[in-house]
Amino acid sequence: RFQNQTLTQSDVDSISDLTNLRHFGLENTELRGSTISKLKLPESVSTIEIARQEIDRTTIRWLASTLTNHLILDECEIALSAKTAFSDLTPLTNLELRRIPIDRNLFQQLGKLPSLNLIELSVCKFELDDYGEFLSENGARPVIRFNPVAFLGVQALSNGRQPNTWSCQVEMVVAGSGADNAGVKTGDIIESVNGNPITVFEELRMYISQLDIGEAMDLQVLRGEERLELTATLGENPNNPSR
């Protein structure tokens, strides 16, 4: 992993000789644009991670030429021309996006990747209409998994403990969590998040995954016959995948 540095030609040349290299990373380096096309990775590399860098169309061409199947992009600025070229990353089977806004154009490009099986999202904000359109056009593949870095602090109760019947009734509230401090109680039913109605726990997880640690979440909860408006400040997920 190269971090906060300018890669020299000697650095670039030496990477191709690392025949056992499996994971290659760039973070805030001076290697972008046309320069990146000079970088040749060994065929052993299966995962590329790029963090806090500008992603332009040339970067996408370089990624497509590496034949990697696992790509991680973390807090990168993606140029419009790069978004329209995402469909060129045909070898990809697993894509992780962290702190990257996803618009309709990017969703559409991701739907064109023939081998993509899994998309993992952390703190990626998107419009619900764009997400819904992506799901309706692509069916069950690729699977989208939400990996929250933030933590609300509730566990859901299943309806009758039957598979695939999860609701948003709270079974447990973690002491000292954002939900606890906001006043959420065991037995509450969470009906909406930030004004958006929810009916299953996975939708709650989706909304949490779009927010960062320290951000606030407005909850409408049903407690018996009373509806309450609560605001929770999210803490850090102890299972944060990017820590």
Side-chain angles (χ1 to χ4, degrees):
R1 184 184 184 95
F2 293 89
Q3 185 176 18
N4 301 325
Q5 65 186 92
T6 299
L7 270 68
T8 65
Q9 189 62 48
S10 175
D11 293 327
V12 171
D13 293 340
S14 65
I15 291 170
S16 61
D17 296 329
L18 302 175
T19 56
N20 293 320
L21 189 65
R22 296 288 184 269
H23 187 123
F24 177 77
L26 296 171
E27 179 178 354
N28 193 32
T29 68
E30 290 299 321
L31 182 66
R32 55 174 61 91
S34 60
T35 309
I36 203 169
S37 62
K38 301 175 183 177
L39 177 58
K40 305 299 180 184
L41 297 182
E43 294 182 358
S44 58
V45 172
S46 59
T47 300
I48 295 176
E49 182 173 1
I50 302 179
R52 286 166 282 283
Q53 298 229 158
E54 179 185 347
I55 305 292
D56 61 10
R57 193 179 184 91
T58 305
T59 307
I60 297 296
R61 290 197 197 100
W62 171 75
L63 287 168
S65 71
T66 64
L67 300 179
T68 187
N69 55 29
H70 185 184
L71 175 62
I72 303 169
L73 299 179
D74 187 350
E75 206 172 339
C76 292
E77 181 179 347
I78 304 177
L80 178 60
S81 61
K83 290 180 182 179
T84 59
F86 252 77
S87 56
D88 294 338
L89 301 177
T90 53
L92 273 185
T93 60
N94 189 345
L95 174 64
E96 294 183 49
L97 299 178
R98 302 170 183 167
R99 293 184 171 85
I100 293 177
I102 307 176
D103 58 16
R104 179 165 298 190
N105 181 25
L106 185 52
F107 267 129
Q108 290 173 342
Q109 295 302 310
L110 295 179
K112 296 177 182 178
L113 293 173
S115 300
L116 189 60
N117 294 320
L118 177 64
I119 302 174
E120 300 184 72
L121 303 180
S122 298
V123 201
C124 293
K125 290 181 170 58
F126 51 82
E127 295 294 332
L128 291 180
D129 288 346
D130 296 342
Y131 174 64
E133 181 178 301
F134 175 83
L135 293 181
S136 65
E137 291 180 352
N138 295 281
R141 193 206 62 81
V143 172
I144 293 185
R145 178 183 298 163
F146 299 105
N147 293 328
V149 302
F151 185 65
L152 177 60
V154 298
Q155 181 174 313
L157 178 69
S158 65
N159 293 334
R161 298 293 184 182
Q162 298 300 312
N164 303 318
T165 58
W166 294 93
S167 74
C168 286
Q169 186 171 12
V170 176
E171 180 179 33
M172 183 185 72
V173 179
V174 177
S177 66
D180 185 29
N181 293 334
V184 178
K185 304 295 183 183
T186 299
D188 286 352
I189 297 174
I190 301 176
E191 295 186 315
S192 73
V193 175
N194 294 336
N196 300 298
I198 61 173
T199 56
V200 293
F201 185 72
E202 185 60 24
E203 291 175 329
L204 176 60
R205 182 179 178 86
M206 177 187 72
Y207 284 113
I208 295 172
S209 76
Q210 293 185 61
L211 300 177
D212 213 336
I213 300 162
E215 289 194 81
M217 170 177 279
D218 293 329
L219 306 172
Q220 183 183 77
V221 303
L222 179 64
R223 182 177 299 164
E225 297 182 355
E226 183 181 12
R227 282 188 169 81
L228 304 172
E229 303 289 339
L230 305 176
T231 299
T233 300
L234 301 180
E236 182 177 2
N237 186 346
N239 299 312
N240 182 350
S242 61
R243 280 203 305 179

